[in-house]
Amino acid sequence: MFSLFYGLWKYLFSKTEFHVLILGIDKAGKTTLLEKLKSVYSNLAGVPPDRIVPTVGLNIGQIGVSNTKFVFWDLGGQPGLRSIWEKYYEEAHAVIFVIDAACPSRFEDSKSALEKVLRHEDLQGAPLLILANKQDLSEALSAEELAEYLDLEKLDERVYMFEAASAFDGMGIKEGVEWLVEVMERSKRTETLRIRAGITGPN
Ligand SMILES: Nc1nc2c(ncn2[C@@H]2O[C@H](COP(=O)(O)OP(=O)(O)OP(=O)(O)O)[C@@H](O)[C@H]2O)c(=O)[nH]1
Ligand SMILES: [Mg+2]
């Protein structure tokens, strides 16, 4: 009986917590994005872009969006560090994949890194937000152009969205986060992770 009520209490009153992985190759702008997310949603000034160094370990950021708590995991994208990504897949509700839309010479590297992410079974059903970052630069490809260029396979059954963004001026960030809230709340994967965490529905 106690566990029934405890389960109901937990279900009703615990703030939904979503874990979102920020992935992408090195220099795509992941950490700059994380700092921008923190400053947009928490009124705290994030680390300024000129003080951000390449990520070797893990950066964690938390923000609250209405009744939802986001925990972002930002990992290093240098080739030798990408094997660490998969250690975080199982617990992730969704993925933000950041691409430097102003650097065509690195699109192939981004494409193969993203395809590898999509193939991994531990990320099955995880919604995917692909950010065409650095839109403040005039040479940046639009989200549509980047989608066409990447021509990703294995996207068919995935809930995904391409969004034009700039981690410098904040373009596209709120739209992306709002989209994530909406799709993660309805996602089967969220339900699976909830059950695994012991936060079950009232019946
Ligand atoms: N113009 C412009 N530059 C950006 C933007 N976002 C990031 N940068 C720059 O791109 C470079 C790499 O940014 P980081 O945030 O360190 O990239 P990262 O993806 O975290 O890189 P790793 O940690 O090595 O994986 C830095 O010089 C940033 O200032 C953006 O939206 N516009
Ligand atoms: Mg980084």
Side-chain angles (χ1 to χ4, degrees):
M1 189 56 99
F2 170 76
S3 67
L4 182 71
F5 282 115
Y6 180 65
L8 177 63
W9 176 84
K10 214 170 158 190
Y11 181 76
L12 292 175
F13 298 109
S14 58
K15 212 175 187 185
T16 315
E17 182 174 300
F18 291 122
H19 305 148
V20 177
L21 263 174
I22 305 179
L23 302 177
I25 66 170
D26 51 299
K27 300 190 183 71
K30 301 178 295 297
T31 308
T32 313
L33 169 75
L34 177 69
E35 292 305 319
K36 193 70 183 174
L37 278 162
K38 289 198 279 189
S39 69
V40 168
Y41 285 97
S42 66
N43 291 329
L44 295 169
V47 177
D50 59 353
R51 288 194 35 223
I52 291 172
V53 294
T55 308
V56 176
L58 164 75
N59 297 311
I60 298 180
Q62 296 188 9
I63 61 166
V65 183
S66 53
N67 208 31
T68 303
K69 180 175 161 192
F70 274 80
V71 179
F72 293 105
W73 294 325
D74 160 39
L75 291 156
Q78 293 172 53
L81 300 174
R82 293 179 205 166
S83 56
I84 299 167
W85 294 359
E86 64 182 33
K87 299 198 184 335
Y88 296 85
Y89 289 172
E90 231 184 328
E91 300 297 322
H93 291 82
V95 174
I96 299 178
F97 196 90
V98 184
I99 298 176
D100 179 346
C103 191
S105 64
R106 303 211 62 201
F107 286 170
E108 271 310 309
D109 194 9
S110 277
K111 180 177 157 87
S112 58
L114 176 52
E115 280 176 342
K116 197 167 174 204
V117 169
L118 293 173
R119 277 197 303 271
H120 204 290
E121 63 173 21
D122 288 353
L123 273 177
Q124 254 182 22
L128 171 71
L129 174 64
I130 301 167
L131 294 183
N133 192 32
K134 308 198 186 181
Q135 291 296 318
D136 53 287
L137 299 176
S138 59
E139 64 269 33
L141 259 61
S142 69
E144 293 73 24
E145 287 167 330
L146 189 66
E148 201 173 313
Y149 181 92
L150 291 176
D151 187 26
L152 294 167
E153 290 164 19
K154 301 209 48 112
L155 266 181
D156 303 348
E157 286 159 38
R158 189 167 301 260
V159 176
Y160 73 97
M161 180 171 81
F162 277 87
E163 178 75 35
S166 167
F168 268 13
D169 64 23
M171 173 189 180
I173 287 183
K174 282 198 167 164
E175 291 82 348
V177 166
E178 277 162 26
W179 180 81
L180 278 174
V181 171
E182 200 187 309
V183 295
M184 287 193 297
E185 273 169 358
R186 290 189 277 115
S187 144
K188 221 170 139 191
R189 184 177 173 90
T190 296
E191 196 51 38
T192 311
L193 291 181
R194 224 174 235 156
I195 290 166
R196 206 194 298 156
I199 306 169
T200 48
N203 45 14

